[in-house]
Amino acid sequence: MAADRTKFILDEDRIPRSWYNIAADLPTPAPPVLHPGTGQPIGPADLAPLFPMELIKQVVSQDREIEIPDPVRDAYALYRPSPLFRARRLEAALDTPAHIYYKYEGGSPSGSHKPNTALAQAYYNKAEGVTRLATETGAGQWGSALAFAGAMFGLEVKVFMVRSSYDQKPYRRVLMETYGASVVASPSPDTQYGRSVLAETPSHTGSLGLAISEAIEDTVSHPGTKYSLGSVFDFVLLHQTVIGQEAIEQMALAGEEPDVVIGCAGGGSNFAGLTFPFIGRGLRGGPKPRIIAAEPEAAPSLTKGVYRYDFGDTARMTPLVKMHTLGHDFIPEPIHAGGLRYHGMSPLVSMLKEQGLIEARAVHQRASFEVGVQFARAEGILPAPEPTHAIKVAIDEAMEARAEGRPRVILFNLCGHGHFDLSAYERYLSGKLEDYEYPAEKVADALKALEGLPVG
Ligand SMILES: *Cc1c(COP(=O)(O)O)cnc(C)c1O
């Protein structure tokens, strides 16, 4: 009786058997990643110090389907397939003719979509003899996911956690330590780069770009260690496509096709995970829903950034990637959606935006918490601050449908729960939420640092 169902559940044997590689369907290939020293396209050898070879192969693969190894599928079975919900109570509260669906990734052990790639990365590293992983974390979601994956596959995990989150979210740190990881606030005294930043600014609140620099330095200076990252890179987006593949099957169970598919975008991975399978289907001649990325006004790379080559980190250690960027020196205000606090965007998502295959909208922190509370009161699930940006766009779409008096089928990714974000909700509920506006001058300054870098 799809007509009055609230959730659409797939059996364990419907966990996808392969990841979907959008490179196979793209009208034009993504611009090459460039070596920061030579300005030439990088090859597998350049990435080998950081990543295991199987992951590097996935980045260059043109195969549409990349098989998911059995041990990864077995670990996915702890929480996949994830449920698809019809937001009937939210629809009623909005008095909208729209049908709103959400894919819920907050039921994973660490509370977000991030284990979808953490488990894959841990597995491939372990298989190639790596004993220790170094990484950064913003909101703590990625660190928790990798700590969990490290526990599943028997790897040590070292996490550089952005200072502002480290202070705002002590329980995220405790969760990582419970899984066996070691966690340090970034900038940290554990790396040369961290020490140099602390010497200049002892009270530095940190940033994702800075923490990436520390994790890379840690990787190259510790034998047996490789680097793991939770977003932006092509193979991360690839691993997340289990979300959209399941969602396509679940929407069919519901007997509907989405008119619009929405995800919040920090580095782009949960957005891509849900939307790429839909975009690919459209590129192969299937239905073409509108696709919208929701980002914060405080770090609006897709709506206000430039599309050109930039570094992924603050210390200019990563390769140069062509992406929407606010400049690698740009340090976003400490908004509570820590996972969206990044100066750049995945190169694949950026290219799709440039080609008009996706849209983007920026959401103010206040509006995002307003709808976070509204959603919790209607649907019961407390959303993480990041997906409240997607909820805001979904609600705007539903209200537009109401104004037009026409139905609209809306699907968004509820990519994490907010149980570790209660201090942020407390600030909102007590009227103390910070009012960060779009930092136009800071962005203009940061973009100046791109002069002299390849434009592409
Ligand atoms: C990490 C994270 C994000 C941002 O990362 P993306 O790669 O853009 O998905 C968004 N939401 C949650 C819950 C996260 O943990």
Side-chain angles (χ1 to χ4, degrees):
M1 289 279 289
D4 46 20
R5 279 241 164 124
T6 295
K7 61 189 186 314
F8 300 87
I9 305 284
L10 299 174
D11 193 73
E12 208 164 290
D13 65 7
R14 300 308 304 160
I15 296 172
R17 292 187 182 273
S18 55
W19 293 297
Y20 165 64
N21 181 14
I22 198 170
D25 292 316
L26 288 176
T28 56
V33 173
L34 304 181
H35 191 283
T38 64
Q40 293 303 306
I42 57 167
D46 297 304
L47 293 173
L50 296 182
F51 305 117
M53 208 30 86
E54 279 305 311
L55 290 176
I56 296 171
K57 280 195 212 153
Q58 291 179 356
V59 177
V60 293
S61 171
Q62 294 294 315
D63 297 342
R64 181 172 291 129
E65 293 181 353
I66 296 179
E67 193 183 328
I68 303 175
D70 280 342
V72 177
R73 276 188 95 234
D74 286 349
Y76 278 172
L78 288 167
Y79 63 96
R80 303 214 72 82
S82 69
L84 177 83
F85 286 86
R86 168 102 182 259
R88 293 185 178 279
R89 290 167 178 79
L90 180 64
E91 290 169 17
L94 298 172
D95 189 23
T96 175
H99 292 182
I100 306 174
Y101 292 86
Y102 57 96
K103 181 75 166 151
Y104 184 46
E105 293 291 310
S108 79
S110 67
S112 78
H113 62 289
K114 296 238 169 52
N116 297 333
T117 184
L119 290 166
Q121 293 185 45
Y123 166 77
Y124 287 118
N125 275 287
K126 180 74 179 184
E128 293 185 27
V130 174
T131 57
R132 180 175 174 273
L133 296 173
T135 197
E136 70 286 336
T137 194
Q141 296 269 22
W142 169 243
S144 309
L146 194 68
F148 157 62
M152 294 302 103
F153 287 100
L155 287 157
E156 272 181 65
V157 175
K158 165 84 180 230
V159 182
F160 293 87
M161 184 172 188
V162 175
R163 165 59 73 181
S164 55
S165 293
Y166 188 93
D167 294 337
Q168 279 168 2
K169 300 186 183 187
Y171 297 129
R172 273 280 167 205
R173 171 176 57 77
V174 177
L175 179 63
M176 291 183 257
E177 289 171 348
T178 304
Y179 285 133
S182 68
V183 187
V184 66
S186 167
S188 82
D190 295 8
T191 65
Q192 222 171 23
Y193 183 60
R195 288 190 292 275
S196 74
V197 173
L198 285 174
E200 219 173 276
T201 318
S203 62
H204 205 294
T205 55
S207 74
L208 216 44
L210 204 154
I212 294 172
S213 303
E214 286 205 273
I216 293 180
E217 182 184 328
D218 177 290
T219 302
V220 296
S221 56
H222 286 79
T225 297
K226 297 249 188 226
Y227 171 64
S228 246
L229 80 177
S231 188
V232 182
F233 228 62
D234 293 4
F235 64 68
V236 178
L237 276 57
L238 173 81
H239 301 151
Q240 293 296 349
T241 57
V242 289
I243 303 172
Q245 294 182 69
E246 289 175 6
I248 286 176
E249 202 169 325
Q250 288 162 310
M251 289 302 299
L253 284 181
E256 302 215 76
E257 266 302 325
D259 297 305
V260 52
V261 185
I262 303 158
C264 68
S269 76
N270 89 83
F271 168 78
L274 176 64
T275 63
F276 280 12
F278 285 96
I279 295 172
R281 219 179 37 158
L283 290 169
R284 297 193 302 276
K288 285 192 172 65
R290 285 162 53 228
I291 308 278
I292 308 176
E295 61 181 11
E297 270 187 23
S301 54
L302 281 172
T303 52
K304 294 270 174 53
V306 296
Y307 181 57
R308 53 176 291 174
Y309 277 97
D310 194 8
F311 294 97
D313 70 327
T314 311
R316 300 172 155 238
M317 292 166 85
T318 67
L320 285 160
V321 291
K322 192 165 184 189
M323 62 179 175
H324 284 88
T325 179
L326 300 162
H328 56 269
D329 288 334
F330 174 68
I331 296 184
E333 301 293 349
I335 52 170
H336 296 284
L340 307 184
R341 251 188 107 217
Y342 185 56
H343 69 270
M345 182 54 62
S346 134
L348 281 173
V349 171
S350 292
M351 186 174 77
L352 292 171
K353 167 71 169 40
E354 199 61 17
Q355 295 178 341
L357 290 167
I358 66 169
E359 307 164 37
R361 292 196 204 149
V363 175
H364 192 273
Q365 171 154 277
R366 178 161 307 282
S368 83
F369 274 91
E370 262 165 34
V371 299
V373 169
Q374 185 179 14
F375 185 86
R377 289 179 184 172
E379 293 289 314
I381 297 174
L382 182 78
E386 292 85 0
T388 60
H389 294 72
I391 295 173
K392 169 67 176 152
V393 174
I395 289 179
D396 286 350
E397 289 283 325
M399 297 315 281
E400 231 177 78
R402 180 171 114 158
E404 288 175 2
R406 280 215 298 242
R408 189 177 300 196
V409 179
I410 301 163
L411 167 64
F412 73 89
N413 202 4
L414 185 54
C415 56
H417 69 64
H419 295 179
F420 288 97
D421 304 281
L422 291 171
S423 64
Y425 276 95
E426 182 181 33
R427 290 194 79 81
Y428 172 76
L429 293 171
S430 61
K432 292 194 188 118
L433 194 73
E434 304 81 355
D435 248 328
Y436 300 121
E437 301 305 330
Y438 169 59
E441 275 174 35
K442 272 174 70 179
V443 171
D445 268 354
L447 289 177
K448 281 184 203 144
L450 303 191
E451 281 163 27
L453 295 180
V455 179

